[in-house]
Amino acid sequence: MKKTQEADNVVIENFRIRVFRAVAQHLNFSRAAEELLLTQPAVTQQIKALEDELGLPLFDRGGGHIVLTAGGKALLPFAEKMKELSDEAFAAVAEAFGQSAGELALGASQTIGQYLLPTFVAAFRRANPKVKVTARSGNTDEMLEALLSRAVQLALIEGPERRKDLHIEPFMEDHMVLVVPATHGWADHEIKVEDLKSEPLLMREFGSGSRRVVEQALSKVGVKAKDLTISMELDSTEGLLSAVEAGLGITFVSRWAVRNQLSLGTLKIARVQGLKLSRRFSMAYPAGPEPTGTVGIFRRFLLSQAMEIAPKRTGRIAVP
């Protein structure tokens, strides 16, 4: 989808600048060529033509790797602004005819990316069929870094975040639940917080928004990380759920992540007295004015419709 939109925008955006931006992002001519649907010699030719036009080298190709020169670093912010202006131009023309168009690059933390984002994007695209959407996922820290590096335009994240360089805006509520094997003694029962100290606990990796939410909630009720028996750390929610099904321990996950397993009866919920694991999913974008163009349209779409279009829960989910 991204490649198609790039091809559409070439009539507005300088082609050599577009090639430069791709090489600068990847610092690899072959990967840039793959993204642009060009041959590597064609990419090299375009970069050389741009360097000849400017009279300065943009990349240092020595030492077996590629880095931006001082001139390349100076040009990159302007190349990114040209891309933004090109997208805004397409969006403005489409809006004049009552439509939305352009490119939207989204980042999403894993829970949102796997369980909610496809539904959000599908609903958004039904209302805005001319918007080309690309998406990537990772943990919360990775998505915020992708936002700062301009690899994505908007990041959907989980967990509390405070950063001066980004604006963090909640768009829907979520609850995390304690998941246990179907045959576990805690299944469909209520336990005390202190009971958690005696069971092997499976956790997401450091940098995960879900992990921060769990640690902060436990800390508020007097349970520190050192009091827990963290038997395994995994880098995905699906990995956590599979490990619980295999009897390796218990875990906390979003209610959205476990709805299918609850419906099938392969996993169960245990309620924890006094433990509140509600949180908000948030969207992050650079500090400053509210987003415009396709980013602004998607932001308003989420704020107004996220809860209504979220996947319907299946099975009975007990929320503490």
Side-chain angles (χ1 to χ4, degrees):
M1 290 186 290
K2 180 177 180 181
K3 295 170 183 174
T4 301
Q5 182 63 28
E6 289 280 5
D8 292 343
N9 285 10
V10 68
V11 295
I12 289 181
E13 186 183 11
N14 181 283
F15 182 67
R16 290 173 184 169
I17 292 295
R18 185 162 64 94
V19 174
F20 163 75
R21 192 177 60 250
V23 177
Q25 179 181 352
H26 296 289
L27 292 178
N28 185 294
F29 279 73
S30 296
R31 291 179 185 173
E34 183 179 345
E35 175 185 323
L36 297 168
L37 297 179
L38 298 172
T39 63
Q40 184 173 336
V43 169
T44 302
Q45 182 181 19
Q46 291 298 321
I47 294 298
K48 184 178 185 304
L50 182 59
E51 290 177 328
D52 289 345
E53 184 177 344
L54 295 171
L56 292 168
L58 299 173
F59 297 96
D60 184 350
R61 301 166 178 80
H65 60 278
I66 299 172
V67 296
L68 285 164
T69 64
K73 292 178 181 178
L75 177 62
L76 184 56
F78 292 95
E80 291 170 342
K81 287 180 182 179
M82 291 177 192
K83 174 65 170 61
E84 292 173 3
L85 285 172
S86 177
D87 287 344
E88 288 179 11
F90 270 88
V93 172
E95 190 173 351
F97 288 89
Q99 301 174 347
S100 297
E103 180 182 349
L104 178 62
L106 299 173
S109 59
Q110 288 195 6
T111 298
I112 299 173
Q114 186 162 2
Y115 303 106
L116 293 171
L117 187 61
T119 302
F120 292 159
V121 171
F124 178 75
R125 289 269 291 134
R126 283 194 293 271
N128 303 276
K130 292 190 176 182
V131 176
K132 306 298 191 295
V133 180
T134 59
R136 64 172 63 185
S137 65
N139 66 37
T140 292
D141 285 357
E142 290 169 344
M143 291 302 96
L144 292 180
E145 290 306 312
L147 181 63
L148 289 172
S149 68
R150 295 177 179 263
V152 301
Q153 297 167 288
L154 188 76
L156 308 182
I157 61 171
E158 54 204 76
E161 292 290 339
R162 293 182 181 179
R163 296 181 61 147
K164 295 180 179 180
D165 51 351
L166 296 174
H167 187 82
I168 310 295
E169 183 174 24
F171 67 90
M172 71 180 294
E173 287 190 317
D174 179 42
H175 294 275
M176 297 191 71
V177 293
L178 178 61
V179 179
V180 302
T183 57
H184 196 282
W186 294 356
D188 295 328
H189 286 76
E190 188 171 75
I191 66 168
K192 297 179 180 180
V193 174
E194 291 75 17
D195 295 336
L196 293 171
K197 300 176 183 180
S198 64
E199 286 289 306
L201 182 63
L202 310 173
M203 293 281 275
R204 283 286 304 277
E205 80 286 2
F206 286 104
S208 161
S210 296
R211 178 171 183 146
R212 280 196 286 269
V213 169
V214 172
E215 290 179 340
Q216 290 175 9
L218 290 173
S219 178
K220 287 181 180 179
V221 294
V223 178
K224 306 297 183 183
K226 62 182 180 61
D227 300 325
L228 302 169
T229 305
I230 300 177
S231 61
M232 186 180 297
E233 296 178 354
L234 295 101
D235 62 0
S236 72
T237 301
E238 283 299 304
L240 290 177
L241 295 175
S242 296
V244 175
E245 286 180 322
L248 294 176
I250 61 176
T251 194
F252 290 96
V253 298
S254 166
R255 60 176 177 169
W256 303 108
V258 74
R259 60 196 183 96
N260 290 334
Q261 288 86 346
L262 294 177
S263 179
L264 294 171
T266 58
L267 293 174
K268 297 287 186 179
I269 295 296
R271 295 173 296 280
V272 185
Q273 292 179 9
L275 186 64
K276 297 187 180 299
L277 280 166
S278 61
R279 61 176 177 175
R280 292 182 177 182
F281 289 148
S282 300
M283 64 183 87
Y285 48 88
E290 289 184 358
T292 58
T294 55
V295 180
I297 295 170
F298 186 76
R299 169 184 170 269
R300 293 191 294 272
F301 170 81
L302 276 189
L303 289 175
S304 63
Q305 301 187 44
M307 288 303 298
E308 287 74 15
I309 63 177
K312 303 302 180 185
R313 284 179 281 171
T314 57
R316 183 179 179 183
I317 300 181
V319 178

